[in-house]
């Protein structure tokens, strides 16, 4: 005796999940052979289940990720300065710069190096997350400068106020590290992120080459344009070749920190960045 | 040697494939991975950065759960954000032996139910549908909707509308079982239902979803379109 359509349809969901007895399954199989309506219900249900369970069905909209942690921020910033501003003091000179700025600072003497580290000290005092980046020697040296100024880099790192980021030989890996740290710091409520990059040739770990350095500089500009971040790149003029100082230093930074203050850099080539961005979108 | 957020970030990245790729996965489980346990440990101590890194791979899970349980996209975002805050505050209660993904889903469901009770926002429709039997409206031959339809914004909108047209108690079951692929026992535990209740609601939800999506997928010269099928 064949099952009634009504009884079959009631059980189709369980049939698909395989939670009905063997005898009933046999009866339903027999029924489907002769009933195109119940077969249509079965096929439609299977189709809908496979569509709903596919990750492509639920595309996360643009901006969702950035807003997801927004309710955490008041908890993170309760003890901090009340309102993040669009400009922050760079500490090296008396100037302030807009968030998103990418600055070049050439140094030669120990005093000039220490002056550059003031960019980080100023940020730490303002409870802005700071990132020290570069080759091993520069990181050690910058940590010593911080210690001599009364900071404890170890404690700051434990408190998530400072991140010490060692460069990789590959710009690609380095860049994804930078992006992940900046993103995490912003999501955790830091009103601004300061990034002090150090570049010197002949220091471990070595960049893959000059092109690698230039690529990194260009892409850092693209990354920070999406976050409330300011980057200062310290170039060790004692070790860097002229080509790198021109291509990596002068042509990729809009602003230069000079003895007398902050200067628009006349050698900056904005087209480099736009051409690069188009290339990466494709 | 200085410890750094970088180390934490790297561990998070390597444990979930690439950070970008992992974000859109719906099915990735938590597992007993050491790196994630380390993140969890730090997050439990109140470290928000570790918490963010821990949650990031499950953003798509939060998005789809919140979307299915609300009536508007704005409410969905608000619900997901609230769920993240609640998860952060309740994190010390999380048992490491369980799946973090399931726990986030559970928190989101709890928040949605809490809101529906308080009715502070027009979040979940209040009609806890009576458990009456639902029989299909449309038994015309089914024309398969190919998986490629999901590439189009329009079909994704239809799917979302179909889900939101379900009574709230059916939606919950459908999302847990057919979207997130949780088992019947787990679904029953999260929703405080018996297993037969889960199966019965799931059947009703699937039949309704099928009727709501009885479209004909037409591959025409103007691109792929969907037309309402005539019974």
């Amino acid at each position: 005796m064949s099952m009634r359509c009504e009884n079959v349809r009631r059980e189709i969901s369980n049939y698909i999940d395989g939670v009905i007895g063997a005898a009933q399954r046999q009866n339903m199989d027999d029924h489907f052979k002769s009933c195109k309506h119940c077969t249509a219900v079965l096929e439609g249900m299977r189709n809908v289940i496979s569509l709903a369970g596919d990750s492509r069905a639920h595309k996360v909209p643009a901006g969702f990720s950035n807003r997801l942690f927004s309710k955490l921020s008041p908890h993170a910033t309760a003890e901090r300065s009340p309102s993040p501003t669009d400009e922050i003091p760079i500490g090296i000179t008396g100037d302030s710069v807009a968030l998103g700025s990418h600055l070049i600072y050439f140094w030669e003497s120990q005093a000039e190096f220490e002056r550059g580290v003031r960019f980080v000290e100023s940020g730490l005092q303002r409870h802005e997350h700071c990132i020290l980046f570069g080759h091993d020697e520069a990181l050690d040296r910058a940590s010593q400068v911080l210690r001599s100024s009364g900071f404890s880099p170890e404690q700051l790192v434990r408190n998530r106020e400072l991140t010490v980021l060692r460069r990789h030989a590959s710009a690609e890996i380095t860049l994804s590290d930078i992006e992940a740290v900046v993103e995490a710091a912003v999501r955790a409520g830091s009103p601004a992120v300061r990034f002090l990059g150090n570049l010197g040739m002949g220091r471990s770990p070595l960049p893959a080459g000059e092109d690698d350095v230039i690529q990194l500089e260009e892409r850092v500009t693209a990354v920070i344009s999406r976050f409330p971040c300011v980057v200062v790149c310290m170039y060790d003029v004692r070790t860097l070749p002229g080509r790198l100082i021109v291509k990596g230093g002068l042509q990729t930074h809009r602003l230069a920190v000079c003895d007398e203050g902050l200067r628009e850099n006349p050698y900056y080539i904005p087209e480099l960045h736009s051409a690069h961005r188009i290339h990466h979108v494709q | 040697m200085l410890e750094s957020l970088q180390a934490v970030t790297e561990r998070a990245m390597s444990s979930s494939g690439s950070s970008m790729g992992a974000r859109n996965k719906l099915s990735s489980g938590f597992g007993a991975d050491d790196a994630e346990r380390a993140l969890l440990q730090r997050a439990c101590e109140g470290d928000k950065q570790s918490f963010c890194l821990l949650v990031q791979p499950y953003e798509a899970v939060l998005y789809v759960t919140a979307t299915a349980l609300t009536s508007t996209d704005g409410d969905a975002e608000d619900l997901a954000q609230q769920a993240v805050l609640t998860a952060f505050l309740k994190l010390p209660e999380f048992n490491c032996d369980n799946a973090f993904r399931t726990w986030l889903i559970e928190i989101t469901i709890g928040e949605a139910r809490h809101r529906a009770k308080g009715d502070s926002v027009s979040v979940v429709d209040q009609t806890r549908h009576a458990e009456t039997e639902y029989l299909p409206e449309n038994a015309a031959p089914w024309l398969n909707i190919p998986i490629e339809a999901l590439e189009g914004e329009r079909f994704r909108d239809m799917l979302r509308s179909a889900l939101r047209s379900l009574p709230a108690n059916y939606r919950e079951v459908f999302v847990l079982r057919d979207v997130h692929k949780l088992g019947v026992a787990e679904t029953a535990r999260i929703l405080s239902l018996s297993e037969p209740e889960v199966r019965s609601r799931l059947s009703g939800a699937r039949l309704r979803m099928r009727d709501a999506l009885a479209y004909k997928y037409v591959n025409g010269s103007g691109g792929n379109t969907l037309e309402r099928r005539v019974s």
Side-chain angles (χ1 to χ4, degrees):
Chain A
M1 176 67 193
S2 183
M3 286 175 79
R4 289 165 56 92
C5 288
E6 191 183 310
N7 296 333
V8 170
R9 290 177 197 180
R10 191 176 292 134
E11 294 299 329
I12 285 179
S13 174
N14 289 333
Y15 176 90
I16 289 174
D17 285 348
V19 290
I20 55 170
Q24 192 171 16
R25 173 164 287 272
Q26 187 59 55
N27 286 339
M28 287 177 76
D29 284 337
D30 292 344
H31 184 91
F32 290 133
K33 278 179 199 147
S34 60
C35 178
K36 62 180 183 185
H37 299 300
C38 288
T39 303
V41 176
L42 172 68
E43 287 173 351
M45 195 183 279
R46 275 193 177 134
N47 191 193
V48 166
I49 293 169
S50 81
L51 291 165
D54 192 293
S55 60
R56 282 170 291 180
H58 314 283
K59 198 174 169 193
V60 178
F64 176 84
S65 309
N66 289 333
R67 295 186 292 271
L68 187 60
F69 298 92
S70 59
K71 289 191 200 292
L72 277 185
S73 300
H75 291 256
T77 53
E79 68 279 16
R80 296 186 175 166
S81 53
S83 59
T85 55
D86 292 340
E87 284 207 340
I88 59 170
I90 59 172
I92 310 172
T93 63
D95 300 282
S96 289
V97 291
L99 295 174
S101 301
H102 188 180
L103 287 64
I104 181 80
Y105 176 69
F106 295 110
W107 70 275
E108 192 173 6
S109 66
Q110 172 66 17
E112 285 166 344
F113 182 90
E114 287 174 9
R115 198 165 159 222
V117 178
R118 284 192 216 153
F119 171 65
V120 166
E121 295 174 358
S122 162
L124 293 171
Q125 284 158 358
R126 290 164 52 87
H127 298 289
E128 293 159 354
H129 191 89
C130 294
I131 301 168
L132 277 179
F133 168 78
H135 52 87
D136 296 341
E137 188 197 314
L139 296 178
D140 285 347
R141 200 163 169 174
S143 298
Q144 281 166 19
V145 174
L146 287 176
R147 272 186 214 105
S148 62
S149 299
F151 292 95
S152 162
E154 291 77 10
Q155 188 61 40
L156 289 165
V157 166
R158 275 196 295 277
N159 293 348
R160 300 289 173 271
E161 291 171 66
L162 176 70
T163 299
V164 180
L165 199 56
R166 187 170 184 258
R167 79 151 292 153
H168 288 268
S170 142
E172 202 61 48
I173 298 173
T174 301
L175 205 84
S176 64
D177 278 358
I178 294 172
E179 194 171 3
V181 173
V182 172
E183 198 174 342
V186 171
R187 286 185 173 181
S190 184
V193 178
R194 294 185 182 225
F195 182 99
L196 186 69
N198 280 279
L199 189 69
M201 291 300 268
R203 302 281 187 261
S204 174
L206 281 172
E210 292 178 14
D211 288 344
D212 196 64
V213 171
I214 294 163
Q215 185 198 358
L216 180 65
E217 289 286 13
E218 289 171 352
R219 290 189 56 193
V220 160
T221 302
V223 167
I224 63 167
S225 64
R226 299 193 289 114
F227 295 101
C229 186
V230 172
V231 174
V232 172
C233 290
M234 306 231 303
Y235 273 50
D236 179 357
V237 295
R238 302 167 309 167
T239 60
L240 292 168
R243 183 178 172 274
L244 200 57
I245 290 180
V246 173
K247 290 236 165 207
L250 293 172
Q251 294 183 353
T252 60
H253 299 82
R254 194 174 63 79
L255 297 166
V257 187
C258 306
D259 282 348
E260 62 276 25
L262 203 59
R263 288 274 182 274
E264 284 280 344
N265 169 15
Y267 303 101
Y268 172 64
I269 306 178
E271 293 76 26
L272 272 181
H273 303 293
S274 49
H276 181 83
R277 276 191 204 128
I278 290 164
H279 173 75
H280 272 272
V281 167
Q282 286 166 347
Chain B
M1 181 64 193
L2 293 177
E3 245 187 321
S4 73
L5 178 60
Q6 181 220 1
V8 178
T9 310
E10 271 185 348
R11 283 201 298 274
M13 281 174 164
S14 61
S15 65
S16 56
S18 91
S19 66
M20 296 300 163
R23 265 178 216 172
N24 292 324
K25 277 182 198 164
L26 284 170
S27 54
S28 53
F30 186 67
D33 188 284
D34 285 347
E36 283 172 320
R37 278 180 191 274
L39 278 180
L40 187 64
Q41 180 63 37
R42 289 168 190 270
C44 278
E45 289 162 6
D47 176 20
K48 292 169 191 75
Q49 288 172 353
S50 296
F51 177 73
C52 293
L53 291 169
L54 193 61
V55 172
Q56 272 171 20
Y58 305 105
E59 284 174 358
V61 171
L62 285 160
Y63 169 73
V64 64
T65 312
T67 299
L69 297 175
T70 51
S71 312
T72 69
D73 295 345
D75 286 344
E77 289 227 4
D78 195 61
L79 175 61
Q81 289 163 14
Q82 184 60 44
V84 164
L85 175 60
T86 304
F88 180 69
L89 298 173
K90 287 190 175 176
L91 199 58
E93 297 169 23
F94 173 68
N95 178 352
C96 279
D97 296 333
N98 296 331
F100 188 63
R101 172 177 170 271
T102 309
W103 188 71
L104 284 178
I105 295 169
E106 200 173 341
I107 295 265
T108 313
I109 296 255
E111 281 300 323
R113 286 184 161 191
H114 179 71
R115 286 176 177 218
K117 225 183 264 176
D119 196 27
S120 57
V121 205
S122 62
V123 183
V124 178
D125 103 48
Q126 292 286 302
T127 54
R128 311 291 296 181
H129 203 264
E131 306 285 325
T132 53
E133 189 167 29
Y134 180 84
L135 288 173
E137 288 169 3
N138 187 321
W142 183 264
L143 295 168
N144 195 55
I145 300 171
I147 214 85
E148 294 77 54
L150 297 173
E151 304 291 350
E153 186 68 37
R154 188 159 168 251
F155 182 71
R156 289 200 297 268
D157 283 348
M158 286 177 179
L159 194 63
R160 196 161 53 227
S161 303
L163 202 47
R164 284 175 167 166
S165 72
L166 297 179
N169 45 355
Y170 285 75
R171 255 191 258 180
E172 292 172 342
V173 174
F174 188 83
V175 168
L176 296 188
R177 288 281 294 126
D178 285 347
V179 177
H180 294 314
K181 314 277 186 210
L182 298 185
V184 172
E186 185 104 77
T187 303
R189 180 188 64 76
I190 292 173
L191 299 177
S192 306
L193 296 172
S194 68
E195 294 190 17
E197 279 173 324
V198 168
R199 291 206 183 91
S200 153
R201 283 189 195 179
L202 183 61
S203 172
R206 285 170 167 178
L207 288 169
R208 285 174 168 84
M209 283 296 285
R210 181 193 165 281
D211 277 339
L213 291 169
Y215 290 96
K216 185 162 66 170
Y217 189 75
V218 182
N219 195 335
S221 56
N224 297 329
T225 56
L226 288 154
E227 291 172 7
R228 185 76 189 160
R229 192 204 312 258
V230 181
S231 307

